[in-house]
Amino acid sequence: MEVSMTLWVLTIAGLAALIAVDFFIGRKPHEVSIKEAGIWTVVWIALAGLFGLGLLVFGGGQPAGEFFAGFITEKSLSVDNLFVFVLIMAKFAVPAQYQQRVLLVGVLIALVLRAVFIAAGAAILASFSWVFYLFGAFLIWTAWKLIQEARTDEADEEYEGNKLLKAVERKFGVADRYHGTKLWIQQNGKRVMTPMLVVMLAIGTTDVLFALDSIPAIFGLTQDPYIVFTANAFALMGLRQLYFLIGGLLRKLVHLSYGLSIILGFIGVKLVLHALHESGVHVPEISIPVSLGVICAVLAVTTVTSLLASKKQAADEEAHADGEDARKSSVDV
C-alpha cells in the first residue's frame, strides 16, 4: 500500500487530536467508573473499525484485512500487559483518582517507543529478508515460554522495576509521597521526581518488553509500516479504558496465556513459511483471511474456556468453604 507523506502527517495529527480530546476530558483527576470506561472502550474500538473500513474503501481488501488482523492481535497481546500494569499500580500504591493520568502518559511513552521499534523493524526487514527467520523463531520460542509460565504458579508474582528505572531513581531521587499530579517537586533544596513520574516511566518502559514479541508478531501479518503503526496506536490508546473496564476480570482469564501462545506460535510459523517463500522454496503461505479467522477463533475459545474454568473454580472453593463450616459445626457440637 502506497502511503504518501501527507497521509502520514494527517494520520499522526488525527491521532494526536484524539489523544488531546481524551486528555482534556479526563484532565481532572477522578476515579474512573465502569460506565465511563465502557463508553470510551467502545469509542476506541469503533474508531479502529472506522479506520479499517476507510482502508477497505480507499486501499482495498488486503490492507483492511491486515489492519484488522494486526489490531486484534495487538489488542489481545495488550490485555496481557494489563496484568503487569495491575502489579505496577499496587507496587507504587497509586491512588485511584490518579491512575487514569498515569496510564495515559505511560501509554503515550509506550507509543513513542513502539514507533521507534516499528521504524527500525521496517528498515531491517526491507534490507535483510532473512530476519523473517529470526522473527519466526523468536515468536515460536516466546509461545513455548508463555506455555511454561502459564503452567507455573504465579500467585505470588510481584513487579520488579527494570535496571534503567532504578538508575533514574538513584540519579534524581524520589519524593516520599504523591503530590497531586506533579511530576517534579523541590525537596530539601533539591529537585526530585514524584512517585507519579516514576510509575509513568515504569508503565511506559515496561511496555517495551512486550513490544519485543508484539512487533515481530504484527510484522508477521503485514510488512506495511503504516498499518503496523496504526494498528499499534489504536490498540494502545484504548488500553487505558480497558484497564478500568476489565481490571476485575483479569484473574478470570486463566487460559489467556495459552491462547496468546497459540497465536504467537501460529504467526511464528507463518513468518518462517514467508521467509522460505522469499528464499525461493515452494511452500504454502498462510493468507490474511485464514490468519484473521485463526486469531479470532483462538481468542473466542480461550475466553469461553477461561470463564468456565473460573466458574468451576469458584464453585469448588465455595463447596470447600461450606464443607469446612460443616466440619467446624460438628466439632463444636
Side-chain angles (χ1 to χ4, degrees):
M1 177 178 172
E2 292 293 331
V3 180
S4 65
M5 183 58 66
T6 302
L7 182 57
W8 269 106
V9 171
L10 290 175
T11 301
I12 294 174
L15 288 172
L18 290 173
I19 292 168
V21 170
D22 193 5
F23 183 83
F24 178 79
I25 293 176
R27 69 189 184 281
K28 184 178 180 180
H30 66 282
E31 191 170 346
V32 178
S33 65
I34 296 295
K35 180 181 178 181
E36 179 184 349
I39 291 173
W40 275 100
T41 297
V42 172
V43 167
W44 279 108
I45 292 176
L47 288 173
L50 289 174
F51 182 84
L53 291 177
L55 286 177
L56 177 63
V57 173
F58 296 103
Q62 180 75 10
E66 291 176 352
F67 171 78
F68 283 119
F71 172 73
I72 293 172
T73 299
E74 292 298 310
K75 198 71 173 177
S76 59
L77 288 172
S78 68
V79 171
D80 204 32
N81 298 19
L82 298 182
F83 286 101
V84 179
F85 289 176
V86 169
L87 295 175
I88 293 175
M89 292 292 191
K91 171 73 174 180
F92 292 97
V94 182
Q97 66 269 27
Y98 299 143
Q99 289 184 5
Q100 61 157 345
R101 179 67 62 84
V102 167
L103 287 169
L104 177 61
V105 178
V107 166
L108 286 177
I109 295 172
L111 184 57
V112 172
L113 294 176
R114 285 200 181 201
V116 175
F117 272 51
I118 291 168
I124 292 172
L125 290 175
S127 303
F128 309 101
S129 60
W130 53 264
V131 175
F132 283 112
Y133 288 109
L134 295 181
F135 277 10
F138 177 73
L139 289 179
I140 293 172
W141 175 79
T142 303
W144 172 249
K145 186 179 177 183
L146 271 177
I147 293 176
Q148 294 295 100
E149 291 177 353
R151 296 174 63 182
T152 60
D153 184 11
E154 299 179 353
D156 298 326
E157 184 180 4
E158 292 183 2
Y159 168 77
E160 295 183 3
N162 56 59
K163 293 182 179 179
L164 176 62
L165 184 60
K166 291 180 180 179
V168 171
E169 291 178 10
R170 288 194 298 269
K171 174 68 176 178
F172 296 99
V174 181
D176 57 355
R177 63 182 179 86
Y178 287 89
H179 293 263
T181 57
K182 292 182 179 178
L183 305 181
W184 297 88
I185 63 164
Q186 290 289 335
Q187 183 172 286
N188 299 325
K190 182 182 177 182
R191 193 164 181 258
V192 299
M193 298 188 302
T194 65
M196 175 70 73
L197 178 56
V198 175
V199 71
M200 287 176 178
L201 293 174
I203 287 179
T205 55
T206 298
D207 183 79
V208 174
L209 301 177
F210 291 96
L212 293 178
D213 54 37
S214 65
I215 297 300
I218 193 171
F219 270 116
L221 298 169
T222 175
Q223 286 80 58
D224 190 327
Y226 181 77
I227 296 177
V228 172
F229 173 74
T230 50
N232 268 272
F234 279 107
L236 281 178
M237 289 316 302
L239 190 59
R240 179 170 67 98
Q241 288 78 16
L242 200 60
Y243 171 87
F244 294 105
L245 182 63
I246 69 171
L249 299 177
L250 286 176
R251 294 299 176 186
K252 294 185 178 181
L253 299 176
V254 293
H255 296 160
L256 178 64
S257 293
Y258 293 105
L260 295 180
S261 67
I262 293 173
I263 292 173
L264 290 178
F266 170 77
I267 297 176
V269 172
K270 184 178 185 298
L271 273 172
V272 172
L273 291 175
H274 177 75
L276 289 171
H277 183 78
E278 290 292 312
S279 302
V281 181
H282 295 289
V283 293
E285 284 203 90
I286 302 173
S287 66
I288 287 298
V290 172
S291 300
L292 187 57
V294 169
I295 291 168
C296 292
V298 169
L299 291 176
V301 171
T302 299
T303 301
V304 171
T305 58
S306 293
L307 294 178
L308 291 175
S310 298
K311 184 177 180 180
K312 183 177 182 299
Q313 182 180 3
D316 291 342
E317 290 176 354
E318 184 178 352
H320 179 73
D322 291 341
E324 287 293 317
D325 291 341
R327 186 184 62 82
K328 290 180 181 179
S329 298
S330 64
V331 169
D332 291 340
V333 172

